[in-house]
Amino acid sequence: MSQSSSTAIIGEDPAPPASRTVIVGLGYVGLPLAVRAVEVGHHVVGLDVDAERVKRLLSGESYVEDVPAERLAAVVATGRFEPTIDADDCTGFDVAVITVPTPLREGLPEMRHIEEAARLLGAHLRPGATVVLESTTYPGTTEELVATILEQTSGLRAGVDFHLGYSPERIDPGNPQWHLENTPKVVSGIDDASLAAVRAFYDTVVDTTVPVGSPQVAELAKLLENTFRHVNIALINELAVFARELGIDIWEAVDAAATKPYGFMKFTPGPGVGGHCLPIDPSYLSWRVKRATGRVFRFVELANDINDHMPDYVVRRLIEGLNRRGRPVNGSQILLLGLAYKRNTGDARESPAIRVIELLTGLGAFVSAVDPHVVEAHVDRRVRRTQLTAAEVARADAVVLLTDHDSLDVDVVVREARYVLDCRRMLAPASTVEVL
Ligand SMILES: NC(=O)c1ccc[n+]([C@@H]2O[C@H](COP(=O)([O-])OP(=O)(O)OC[C@H]3O[C@@H](n4cnc5c(N)ncnc54)[C@H](O)[C@@H]3O)[C@@H](O)[C@H]2O)c1
């Protein structure tokens, strides 16, 4: 669907201020959007395939930390939020937003969720409606994949009978300063009328919209943002390994570099990357580049390689630290602080902690973990979940601080631990504390 191939949509006012909105996929991205959309006056049908999630939402229970239960309850109480697993509830929508997962399967983009969402929306699409894809994906998805499925299932034509666009989500779970409303949102459409409709909807939801010329630009912008972070984290992680071998404190060097008021952005070493974005999104871009040009996007491959190996480095450093204390890792009690990939969030998807647990249990260590934010019991059955107490810290041969949650009682760790490997430089300096 190129901009030039489409014509304006038959005289409907795009995305009226209070629309019937469908949000497909009520996760970290979809739920905050649904809540916000209800708050600004839309009627929102929230469609998810997970019946348990829908049940929890109907009873006012939130599973996304950025949506507090009180806020959700207020939204449910309006009567304008309909969480459902029934696709027929989507009938008659004005605006539909797709916020389903885009994982990797055997290293390749897994488009199944987007395809399913597009199919079910196509079955309920009516002339004049607007469909927006928000899931992070490779450039070309909206115009090549989503448009085609919507057209085939609805019998309508994108850009002629309905509006279509892409607007990447920039949600940063756990960030107290930047949230959906005040983070500028990139918006795009397959033609001018689609862009106007997409923008009109998001103008009701966020403070600032940033229009761009095509969905491909918006798709690439999102991947650029995440690839930028991924590559820079990899740079600092690799430098951290070398700096240690050179006997230089990388953390002090990073702090010093960060005093430069321009041309430098601070990234710090860590145990690796996790979540739904950095371990996955750059691979969507490299896959697209490879498929379209036959060439390898070397920065992404290199960053993947470095960041993927950070958990191995953490375990190697731990083994060395234990060895210096005359202990083999086999049979040692290791206490992990933090399972989430990111501070102050409960998201343990793709978390480096999972690989650390695999490696340590494979070496015969007994692994316990503290993370009050991560509620899923099934992070790894080999790990014993516990609380951060003086007794737990004291009984551990080594403590590994993987996630710098504000809620961690760092004093008890420094006071009681025999040996800590602090992967986030969160703890005060002490003879028992070693920084990654
Ligand atoms: N989590 C983040 O911080 C973040 C930030 C920006 C962008 N994104 C992107 O947003 C998209 C969604 O990510 P998320 O973190 O919200 O995922 P999530 O796993 O938290 O939520 C996705 C939801 O979609 C549901 N779902 C899956 N298939 C479905 C289908 N066919 N129909 C209806 N519901 C379906 C799942 O049950 C789940 O509740 C991804 O593309 C991701 O890359 C995520």
Side-chain angles (χ1 to χ4, degrees):
M1 276 313 109
S2 74
Q3 297 220 6
S4 55
S5 69
S6 54
T7 54
I9 293 179
I10 18 143
E12 286 208 23
D13 189 12
S19 68
R20 181 168 171 82
T21 302
V22 168
I23 299 190
V24 188
L26 297 172
Y28 284 90
V29 170
L31 185 59
L33 177 65
V35 165
R36 175 72 180 155
V38 173
E39 285 171 348
V40 300
H42 299 289
H43 183 115
V44 175
V45 174
L47 183 74
D48 203 292
V49 287
D50 186 335
E52 187 56 35
R53 284 195 153 182
V54 167
K55 212 166 101 189
R56 287 171 74 177
L57 291 176
L58 287 168
S59 63
E61 193 190 328
S62 174
Y63 43 76
V64 170
E65 286 183 328
D66 288 342
V67 177
E70 316 79 68
R71 195 171 165 200
L72 178 65
V75 158
V76 172
T78 63
R80 283 185 285 102
F81 183 37
E82 276 184 65
T84 180
I85 55 166
D86 185 353
D88 286 342
D89 292 339
C90 298
T91 304
F93 68 82
D94 302 304
V95 177
V97 185
I98 302 174
T99 53
V100 295
T102 41
L104 292 173
R105 193 171 44 147
E106 293 171 10
L108 301 176
E110 163 65 285
M111 304 311 291
R112 182 170 54 90
H113 304 290
I114 290 183
E115 288 166 0
E116 280 169 15
R119 267 195 296 276
L120 76 86
L121 289 176
H124 296 91
L125 192 55
R126 60 174 186 77
T130 300
V131 178
V132 193
L133 178 63
E134 276 211 18
S135 301
T136 307
T137 181
Y138 62 82
T141 306
T142 307
E143 285 158 292
E144 293 165 14
L145 183 70
V146 176
T148 306
I149 296 173
L150 288 172
E151 288 182 343
Q152 283 170 354
T153 45
S154 67
L156 301 175
R157 281 179 303 158
V160 177
D161 303 310
F162 65 94
H163 307 288
L164 177 63
Y166 180 80
S167 178
E169 181 47 67
R170 283 173 163 164
I171 215 151
D172 185 18
N175 188 328
Q177 187 189 358
W178 295 105
H179 39 85
L180 176 64
E181 295 91 296
N182 66 358
T183 305
K185 199 158 191 339
V186 172
V187 290
S188 69
I190 59 167
D191 53 21
D192 290 346
S194 288
L195 174 59
V198 172
R199 193 174 189 190
F201 172 70
Y202 285 107
D203 276 339
T204 66
V205 172
V206 300
D207 298 343
T208 314
T209 48
V210 182
V212 297
S214 71
Q216 294 224 42
V217 170
E219 289 159 340
L220 183 59
K222 173 66 188 176
L223 292 181
L224 169 60
E225 291 166 20
N226 285 350
T227 304
F228 174 86
R229 275 186 62 71
H230 191 48
V231 165
N232 279 287
I233 290 170
L235 169 68
I236 290 298
N237 279 339
E238 187 169 44
L239 198 53
V241 175
F242 290 138
R244 180 172 166 82
E245 288 169 23
L246 295 171
I248 304 169
D249 184 338
I250 180 70
W251 297 87
E252 199 179 348
V254 168
D255 284 346
T259 61
K260 186 179 180 187
Y262 51 87
F264 183 81
M265 189 176 281
K266 183 174 175 177
F267 290 87
T268 51
V273 295
H276 200 307
C277 297
L278 298 197
I280 294 169
D281 301 348
S283 298
Y284 269 67
L285 189 50
S286 59
W287 173 84
R288 177 60 161 173
V289 168
K290 178 94 182 151
R291 201 186 65 163
T293 71
R295 300 222 292 283
V296 173
F297 193 165
R298 290 167 295 169
F299 263 109
V300 170
E301 301 302 322
L302 184 61
N304 282 343
D305 188 43
I306 293 167
N307 288 334
D308 287 352
H309 281 94
M310 287 312 285
D312 306 63
Y313 179 64
V314 169
V315 170
R316 195 181 94 203
R317 289 282 300 273
L318 181 67
I319 291 170
E320 289 170 3
L322 284 167
N323 190 46
R324 282 195 296 280
R325 288 161 178 82
R327 281 212 60 94
V329 68
N330 190 349
S332 282
Q333 298 283 347
I334 312 291
L335 178 64
L336 304 182
L337 301 182
L339 291 169
Y341 81 93
K342 189 173 182 198
R343 70 197 301 257
N344 300 339
T345 78
D347 191 352
R349 294 176 297 178
E350 313 281 335
S351 173
I354 293 166
R355 179 74 183 138
V356 168
I357 292 166
E358 265 171 26
L359 291 167
L360 288 176
T361 52
L363 290 165
F366 297 105
V367 182
S368 307
V370 172
D371 196 322
H373 295 269
V374 175
V375 289
E376 304 109 280
H378 60 268
V379 170
D380 192 311
R381 294 186 203 293
R382 290 166 292 192
V383 74
R384 181 179 69 94
R385 302 289 294 274
T386 186
Q387 311 293 320
L388 181 53
T389 62
E392 280 290 352
V393 176
R395 75 189 276 274
D397 296 296
V399 176
V400 186
L401 195 158
L402 291 171
T403 321
D404 46 347
H405 292 312
D406 287 335
S407 59
L408 286 179
D409 183 347
V410 289
D411 293 338
V412 81
V413 179
V414 175
R415 202 174 58 236
E416 302 293 338
R418 281 179 261 166
Y419 162 49
V420 191
L421 178 60
D422 180 358
C423 301
R424 303 286 185 178
R425 197 184 53 169
M426 189 186 189
L427 304 179
S431 60
T432 48
V433 175
E434 184 183 317
V435 182
L436 189 71

